[in-house]
Every structure is written in structure tokens, then in C-alpha cells.
Amino acid sequence: MTDKRSKVTIPDLYAMVERGEPISFLTAYDYPTALLEDRAGMDMILVGDSGAMCLLGHTSTLPATMDFMVQITAAVSRAASRAFVVGDMPYMSYQPSDEMAVRNAGRFISEGGADAVKLEGGARMADRVQAIVDAGIPVMGHIGLTPQAASMIGGLKSQGRSAEVALELLDDAEILEEAGAFAILVEAVPARVAEVIVRQASVPILSIGSGGACHGQLLIVHDILSLFEAFTPKFVKKYTDIASPMLEAFQSYIKDVKERRFPAAEHEYRIPDEEWRRLEKAIEEDA
Ligand code: KIV
């Protein structure tokens, strides 16, 4: 296991790959969740644009804005004293031009305190990756199911299930690596195809739904806690159901308020007796 206290760096991630230690990676969008993930020993945290869905209730990631992403990234970075934080570049924050990509990636680092950024797309995004890396900012590539391009790739569906598309993914991974990506996230790709990507790569290949041969595993925190209800991808493992105890707590609170069991004496502030007598006297004199 890597050192539990000091900040995880890119060389640490490469060392983990070298010694065959899988990298643990989970999303977070807020300070208290990131604090617990960090305390648990998570290696990497992704501040995903999936926050638009998990936190804000949108039906896609597209409405995430730079201001929203930078603000939640800063909250996560403040909590992550050890985990390596990756800020997810939202829709249209990098697609229009290299310059826009570099400026927005810079905001994730300077305002958001992130250690790296992630952007979606393979070969067609190579210039953006290279421009950001040239500006001194580490970039994680993201291929396979790329939610920002959902309408182009036929929806939120597994990718690379035909030989042609699988070959394109292999090319994408190679080109992103050549452009300077320090790691590549592969989403919802058949495990056998991801295994070939891993074999050809010399950077860490991280999986979300792409099988156990990858160098690390990412999931969405709201999925593993059963807090996201809209749909559950095949690759999700639910580790607990915190929705049920939350619902029970809310129902108990409502009942306590309605039945005047809350607040009890221990939840109330006290005024010293002497001050109370002075107050009563002043009110009497005023009347
Ligand atoms: O936004 C996000 O959480 C992501 C994952 C789905 C990979 O990009």
C-alpha cells in the first residue's frame, strides 16, 4: 500500500502500476464526502461533471458550468490532504479551442486546487491535451463511453463492442498517450478490449466499467451509496444504502417536530436567571 499520509503524486501512481497495486478512484463533489474518502485512503478523487446529475438533478452532464465545477473542485481539494484530485472539464470548456482549454484547465488548478484535469475524447482531442500539458497541467484522457458526446455515440451505451470501434479505441489511447496524457480513463468498454489497451499502454489505464485488467477502478460515489435513483449502470456495485437511513432520519425529524418532541430542553439556549429577572422587570416597567 502507498503511504497513508503524504499527498499522492503522479510518480506514486506510476509506482503503483509498476508493483501491480490497483489504484482506487471515486468521485466526490463536496467537502464532507471528500474528507471521508481521503480518510479511508482513496488514491484518487474525480470531481466529475456527473455532479450535474448527482447533485443538481439534471438528466445529463451537459449543464455543468466552469463556475460550478471550479467551486466544487475547490471544496474537494480542501478535504483531500492525501488523495490526488482530478477536475473534470465540463462541456464546451475545452472543445472550442486550445486557448480556451488551457485557460479553463488553469482555473481548475489555480482556483480549484486540483492536481490534474480530465477531458473527454480520443484522437480528435489530441491537440487540446497537448496544449494543456504544454502549459504544465497534467491531463487524464477519457475514452469509450464519453457522456458529453452521448448523442453522437448513440446514448449512454457500452462502446467498442465491434472490432472496428475497438480498433479506434486502441488508436485513441495511443494518440492521447503521445499527446502527453499522464493517464487514460476507459469507460464502459468490454473487459477484453480494455485488456489490450492496457497491454499497449505505458501510462496508467483506469477503468469505469471496463474490467479488472485496468490499473485502477473508478466508480461514482452516489452509485455506490445508493443515492442516485435515475438508473444504475451494469458496472456499478452498490456498497451500501444510505438513502434508507437518511429517509428514516427525515421522517423521524418530521414526526418529532409535529409531535413537539423536538426541540427538547438540551437543544435550547439558556438565559441566566438574574438576566431573566432583569428582562421581566424591564418589560413590566415598559408596559
Ligand atoms: O463525470 C464523471 O463522473 C465522469 C465519469 C462518468 C467517468 O466523467
Side-chain angles (χ1 to χ4, degrees):
M1 291 281 281
T2 44
D3 182 351
K4 279 262 186 239
R5 287 144 300 157
S6 54
K7 185 84 178 168
V8 174
T9 61
I10 292 175
D12 291 332
L13 297 170
Y14 279 63
M16 290 168 76
V17 169
E18 193 61 36
R19 61 177 180 266
E21 177 185 338
I23 297 166
S24 56
F25 195 11
L26 192 62
T27 67
Y29 317 100
D30 62 80
Y31 180 85
T33 308
L35 205 58
L36 291 174
E37 290 183 16
D38 196 69
R39 200 173 290 161
M42 200 67 63
D43 298 314
M44 301 178 84
I45 298 179
L46 173 68
V47 189
D49 61 356
S50 50
M53 300 171 78
C54 299
L55 286 191
L56 303 182
H58 290 294
T59 53
S60 79
T61 59
L62 302 186
T65 64
M66 269 305 295
D67 286 346
F68 168 69
M69 291 304 302
V70 165
Q71 196 165 12
I72 63 172
T73 301
V76 169
S77 298
R78 282 192 286 273
S81 52
R82 178 184 172 276
F84 186 92
V85 175
V86 181
D88 200 11
M89 298 194 71
Y91 183 58
M92 284 301 141
S93 68
Y94 58 96
Q95 287 92 342
S97 69
D98 285 356
E99 184 182 336
M100 192 177 201
V102 172
R103 287 195 187 283
N104 283 323
R107 284 191 65 193
F108 273 99
I109 307 299
S110 62
E111 296 173 48
D115 299 301
V117 298
K118 171 173 89 58
L119 57 79
E120 297 183 9
R124 66 200 155 80
M125 284 299 148
D127 288 350
R128 301 290 181 272
V129 171
Q130 192 166 352
I132 299 170
V133 172
D134 284 349
I137 299 170
V139 180
M140 175 182 289
H142 178 173
I143 58 173
L145 199 183
T146 47
Q148 291 174 15
S151 53
M152 259 178 66
I153 60 174
L156 298 177
K157 287 188 187 146
S158 166
Q159 300 293 309
R161 297 169 85 165
S162 69
E164 291 78 16
V165 178
L167 277 171
E168 276 174 32
L169 289 172
L170 289 171
D171 280 350
D172 282 340
E174 202 175 337
I175 290 166
L176 286 175
E177 190 178 323
E178 279 165 15
F182 78 95
I184 300 169
L185 177 66
V186 181
E187 178 165 357
V189 164
R192 290 171 82 180
V193 176
E195 205 176 327
V196 184
I197 297 176
V198 168
R199 273 209 302 273
Q200 83 169 17
S202 45
V203 296
I205 301 296
L206 302 161
S207 155
I208 175 162
S210 300
C214 295
H215 301 118
Q217 296 297 326
L218 169 69
L219 283 176
I220 290 186
V221 64
H222 284 223
D223 283 336
I224 74 166
L225 301 178
S226 308
L227 277 178
F228 184 72
E229 289 186 354
F231 58 89
T232 304
K234 173 183 165 65
F235 55 75
V236 167
K237 178 170 174 183
K238 294 190 176 197
Y239 282 82
T240 188
D241 173 9
I242 62 163
S244 299
M246 282 174 79
L247 184 64
E248 278 162 31
F250 300 152
Q251 287 166 336
S252 302
Y253 170 66
I254 293 169
K255 200 160 185 288
D256 275 3
V257 169
K258 298 287 181 192
E259 296 174 3
R260 299 187 183 283
R261 272 197 303 271
F262 179 85
E266 71 261 31
H267 306 118
E268 295 176 351
Y269 293 103
R270 288 182 56 78
I271 180 170
D273 288 347
E274 194 191 325
E275 291 302 314
W276 176 245
R277 281 193 292 276
R278 287 182 55 220
L279 176 64
E280 279 188 317
K281 198 167 161 226
I283 293 169
E284 253 173 52
E285 282 168 8
D286 248 22

